[in-house]
Amino acid sequence: MEGQIDYQPVIERMLSGNKQAYGDLYELTIQDVYRTVHFLIEDKSDADDLVQDIYIQVWKSIGKYKSDRQFKPWLMGIVMKQVKAYRRKRWMSYRVVKKVQELEQVTVLDFSNEIVNKITNQQLVHLVNELPYKLKQVIILRYLNGYSQEEVATILEIPLGTVKSRINSALKKLRAKGSNKKFSFRESEEIINES
């Protein structure tokens, strides 16, 4: 999943105190981070603040990064922890203030062309957004970001079996909800068609 990008030189420059290296790391990773955050939170207006919190945490945690691990799954682990903290904070606010009007808001789809190419069917996006958070999380990481099941397990810090179970459960729910639509997911060289 790591692709052709070697993050190690940038990380080493960051650790040596080079402030420009932090900007370089940001430029190399912002698209994936923003896309993931955008898909995992309901209130899209909070995405910029959450992304900023993520990069602050990256700055604070970069000294703990071990070079024997792949960088992108480590980064996505930070993203998932920050999204989880955001969701917990939002839930507490919701319980205190009972923000009913937020539940009635329509999700605005303003995805980049790359995302539209990966998830071209607006109905599928709507169905994915209706999934419970834990199922939505694995679907976003697996199919939108293209991480292997093993990488998803590492990112979320859960067993591989749990990842497989959640993917299976999510696909069943999508099949049930979109029974008269045709959607495809590539998993282990096999296409699972919903029909």
Side-chain angles (χ1 to χ4, degrees):
M1 178 63 216
E2 201 68 28
Q4 309 85 347
I5 300 174
D6 181 12
Y7 296 94
Q8 200 56 40
V10 177
I11 293 167
E12 288 172 9
R13 288 190 354 247
M14 280 178 67
L15 292 172
S16 70
N18 182 325
K19 291 181 181 170
Q20 178 60 40
Y22 182 72
D24 294 343
L25 183 69
Y26 176 86
E27 292 299 323
L28 289 171
T29 58
I30 184 61
Q31 196 170 28
D32 289 337
V33 169
Y34 189 82
R35 176 179 55 214
T36 302
V37 166
H38 185 83
F39 266 97
L40 290 176
I41 66 172
E42 287 88 33
D43 191 348
K44 307 308 181 205
S45 64
D46 289 342
D48 290 336
D49 290 338
L50 184 53
V51 167
Q52 182 178 356
D53 291 344
I54 288 165
Y55 280 99
I56 289 169
Q57 190 60 46
V58 168
W59 178 260
K60 290 177 180 177
S61 302
I62 197 70
K64 298 176 188 171
Y65 169 70
K66 305 228 182 311
S67 61
D68 60 335
R69 292 182 63 192
Q70 289 187 344
F71 178 73
K72 284 287 284 292
W74 179 83
L75 174 64
M76 282 299 144
I78 289 176
V79 170
M80 291 302 140
K81 287 174 186 161
Q82 292 295 320
V83 168
K84 183 178 179 180
Y86 161 84
R87 288 175 50 84
R88 188 175 1 189
K89 188 165 88 174
R90 290 286 293 180
W91 175 244
M92 295 305 286
S93 294
Y94 172 77
R95 289 179 61 198
V96 172
V97 182
K98 299 195 190 278
K99 297 183 178 182
V100 175
Q101 61 258 142
E102 287 183 19
L103 294 174
E104 297 171 351
Q105 286 181 340
V106 176
T107 303
V108 177
L109 300 177
D110 59 345
F111 308 131
S112 69
N113 288 335
E114 181 182 344
I115 296 170
V116 172
N117 289 339
K118 288 188 176 183
I119 299 180
T120 56
N121 191 314
Q122 199 171 14
Q123 292 169 331
L124 177 58
V125 172
H126 179 71
L127 292 175
V128 169
N129 279 331
E130 290 180 350
L131 287 173
Y133 179 73
K134 287 183 178 184
L135 301 182
K136 182 178 173 180
Q137 210 176 23
V138 295
I139 293 296
I140 297 299
L141 287 172
R142 177 71 184 106
Y143 296 106
L144 177 66
N145 287 312
Y147 288 107
S148 69
Q149 291 180 353
E150 293 78 10
E151 289 171 322
V152 172
T154 300
I155 290 167
L156 297 177
E157 297 176 351
I158 58 177
L160 178 59
T162 303
V163 171
K164 290 180 179 182
S165 172
R166 287 181 185 175
I167 287 173
N168 186 40
S169 179
L171 293 178
K172 282 182 182 176
K173 285 184 183 292
L174 290 172
R175 282 186 197 106
K177 289 181 179 183
S179 59
N180 60 354
K181 322 273 188 305
K182 201 135 171 106
F183 305 116
S184 297
F185 295 93
R186 186 166 294 282
E187 186 66 43
S188 304
E189 301 302 318
E190 169 183 327
I191 295 188
I192 302 168
N193 285 316
E194 295 187 16
S195 50

